[in-house]
Amino acid sequence: MYEDMERVLIAEDEIARRVRELGAEISRDYAGKELLVVGILKGAVIFMADLVRCLNIPVRLDFMAVSSYGASSESSGVVRILKDLEQNIEGLDVLIVEDIVDTGLTLNYLRENLLTRGPASLKICTLLDKPSRRKVNVQVDYNGFVIPDEFVVGYGLDYDGRYRHLRDILILKRQVYCGKEQRENCT
Ligand SMILES: O=P(O)(O)OC[C@H]1O[C@H](OP(=O)(O)OP(=O)(O)O)[C@H](O)[C@@H]1O
Ligand SMILES: Oc1ncnc2cn[nH]c12
Ligand SMILES: [Mg+2]
């Protein structure tokens, strides 16, 4: 499995430190309130599990699944809701938790969609941000790490469903995905 990896980009202990910092910042901002944390399956699950355990405010959890990448390393640009929320979010303080913002298409769609449901507030937290790849602007309120334009896996992030369980965030070797698809900078 590690033979598929170029190198570690962010090690487990550095992720943990940053997650604690984000948890403290969010707890301060929502002091005295209850927060509905919406995790975006599947990639955000591991980050969300660690993040919410760093919050010292009342929290409820819900999940959505949308799909834009599938078995590829390039966004299809078409975002579909595969699993919707169970909670009515009208009047609630809502925080969307994502693993990564790349083109921004997923979060842009999610933000627009959830705003139509009347939350009292809606903010976005992402562990990773790839600003160089943005196709649409998305305001991110809590940002873990800004990373270069590399395809990363681990800590919830996958390629074709694999590598989510790895404890670090690692850069995937190009030959892992270049052999399977026509991706930018695969020439
Ligand atoms: O900013 P974007 O270009 O839209 O990319 C970001 C999204 O793509 C990945 O999810 P994916 O759709 O691959 O599903 P997954 O979370 O189940 O891996 C990732 O987890 C983000 O949700
Ligand atoms: O670098 C990346 N690794 C895994 N999934 C995604 C989606 N966008 N960018 C990604
Ligand atoms: Mg995702």
Side-chain angles (χ1 to χ4, degrees):
M1 174 185 342
Y2 282 90
E3 65 275 4
D4 293 347
M5 304 300 154
E6 202 64 53
R7 64 182 172 89
V8 172
L9 183 64
I10 310 173
E12 176 184 8
D13 56 346
E14 199 185 342
I15 297 170
R17 182 190 55 73
R18 186 65 183 125
V19 169
R20 284 194 297 273
E21 285 177 357
L22 289 170
E25 187 181 349
I26 293 165
S27 297
R28 280 195 301 276
D29 291 353
Y30 288 92
K33 295 181 178 178
E34 180 181 74
L35 189 58
L36 175 68
V37 177
V38 173
I40 310 305
L41 300 169
K42 302 186 184 74
V45 161
I46 294 173
F47 172 43
M48 178 175 167
D50 286 344
L51 179 68
V52 295
R53 287 180 292 164
C54 293
L55 298 179
N56 53 28
I57 53 172
V59 166
R60 288 194 292 171
L61 309 182
D62 206 340
F63 298 88
M64 285 182 86
V66 296
S67 178
S68 52
Y69 279 78
S72 165
S73 63
E74 284 296 314
S75 174
S76 63
V78 176
V79 182
R80 290 177 296 123
I81 291 185
L82 303 177
K83 177 214 174 293
D84 207 338
L85 295 173
E86 289 169 17
Q87 314 254 353
N88 174 354
I89 66 170
E90 188 168 2
L92 300 186
D93 290 304
V94 178
L95 179 68
I96 297 172
V97 172
E98 259 291 29
D99 50 351
I100 189 168
V101 187
D102 187 324
T103 67
L105 292 165
T106 301
L107 266 178
N108 183 58
Y109 173 82
L110 281 170
R111 190 171 181 283
E112 298 298 315
N113 181 290
L114 294 192
L115 281 176
T116 66
R117 307 188 197 191
S121 67
L122 179 65
K123 286 191 176 182
I124 291 172
C125 173
T126 183
L127 179 71
L128 305 176
D129 178 5
K130 265 192 217 176
S132 63
R133 295 255 307 165
R134 223 37 119 255
K135 287 183 179 167
V136 56
N137 267 335
V138 177
Q139 179 194 326
V140 171
D141 303 282
Y142 303 99
N143 198 335
F145 300 92
V146 175
I147 65 170
D149 177 10
E150 300 280 5
F151 197 83
V152 295
V153 294
Y155 198 70
L157 288 125
D158 76 307
Y159 174 68
D160 195 17
R162 295 185 178 86
Y163 314 116
R164 293 191 197 274
H165 64 299
L166 300 180
R167 303 172 76 90
D168 305 306
I169 290 170
L170 305 106
I171 295 175
L172 191 62
K173 283 180 179 170
R174 291 184 195 289
Q175 62 254 33
V176 173
Y177 52 82
C178 280
K180 294 184 180 175
E181 58 186 87
Q182 290 314 311
R183 173 180 156 83
E184 294 163 40
N185 55 48
C186 261
T187 47

